[in-house]
Amino acid sequence: MPMPTDHVARISLSDEAYVRIEAAIMDGTLEPGERLRDADLVEWLGISRTPIRHALDRLAEQGLVEMERNRFTRVAAFDTVGVLESVQVAGDLWAGAALRGIAAWDDEDDDLIGDIQTDLVEAATNDDAARFVTIFEHLVVAFARVEGNNVRIRALGNVLPQVRRLGRKLHGRLDPLAVARFTRELREATTKRDGAAAVTLIDDYVTRIGVILADL
């Protein structure tokens, strides 16, 4: 029957539209306040209106797009408070994954986290803020994946898009030495399977991110 195939195609196109619109918001191609008109998006993406609307609904749920039916759809302004709240929620979810899942870690998990942490320090050293935020996201999600908690992973998927907006705001504000110290101490805690110590380090680091946000 054709129905399942059509359904899969719709999901795929919606995901493609979501990824491309979100990327354009993150890199500044679509600026805050810019109107998102269906006809323009259809022409730009080469995707029909229905999957584009599904993608816009998803972006609106994540706070990246503002919608008022029959009036406007536009890129949401950078909301410092909203981004800070998203960072805090992501931090809580990250800490929870560390506390609940770390006892089950093995050497392969240590190696995976170690590689991500090395990349994070490198991005901070090069002041590559966009890459830093992307790797930071990978680090957070990796803890949840190692834990094996799909609910936590889905919850992170809802808050991390707001966190990604930091990518264009952190240039010149990254402290490579602080990042190196944090990743080193976090690695020590995880290799010792000390979930409580990892939680303390994560909470402290998220607090430091909040201080940076307050100065934006």
Side-chain angles (χ1 to χ4, degrees), residues 53-192:
R53 297 308 301 180
H54 291 164
L56 291 173
D57 286 340
R58 183 175 167 192
L59 289 161
E61 289 175 0
Q62 295 171 342
L64 298 179
V65 164
E66 297 173 334
M67 301 175 67
E68 189 166 331
R69 297 295 183 186
N70 301 319
R71 289 196 60 198
F72 62 78
T73 301
R74 64 192 178 199
V75 179
F78 184 88
D79 176 9
T80 301
V81 173
V83 173
L84 175 57
E85 290 174 347
S86 296
V87 169
Q88 291 169 338
V89 171
D92 290 344
L93 290 166
W94 182 13
L99 185 63
R100 294 181 180 277
I102 204 166
W105 283 33
D106 57 27
D107 291 344
E108 289 186 2
D109 298 324
D110 290 334
D111 291 341
L112 170 65
I113 298 301
D115 290 342
I116 296 174
Q117 291 172 333
T118 298
D119 291 341
L120 194 69
V121 174
E122 180 181 299
T125 301
N126 295 331
D127 194 31
D128 189 342
R131 183 165 178 261
F132 178 87
V133 171
T134 298
I135 297 169
F136 182 83
E137 177 181 343
H138 291 167
L139 179 62
V140 173
V141 173
F143 271 70
R145 291 195 184 282
V146 172
E147 180 197 12
N149 188 328
N150 290 325
V151 174
R152 196 185 305 277
I153 293 169
R154 287 195 296 271
L156 284 167
N158 286 328
V159 298
L160 286 173
Q162 278 284 3
V163 178
R164 287 183 208 128
R165 299 196 86 177
L166 283 171
R168 299 178 65 212
K169 302 288 186 178
L170 292 180
H171 289 295
R173 294 183 171 91
L174 295 172
D175 183 344
L177 294 178
V179 173
R181 183 171 60 253
F182 165 68
T183 57
R184 182 180 65 252
E185 292 175 351
L186 183 61
R187 180 70 185 275
E188 290 172 357
T190 55
T191 53
K192 292 177 181 176

Side-chain angles (χ1 to χ4, degrees), residues 29-62:
T29 300
L30 295 173
E31 293 285 354
E34 185 167 346
R35 292 294 184 98
L36 302 174
R37 297 177 175 85
D38 288 352
D40 294 339
L41 292 173
V42 167
E43 181 178 359
W44 170 45
L45 298 172
I47 296 174
S48 63
R49 182 179 182 276
T50 297
I52 288 174
R53 297 308 301 180
H54 291 164
L56 291 173
D57 286 340
R58 183 175 167 192
L59 289 161
E61 289 175 0
Q62 295 171 342

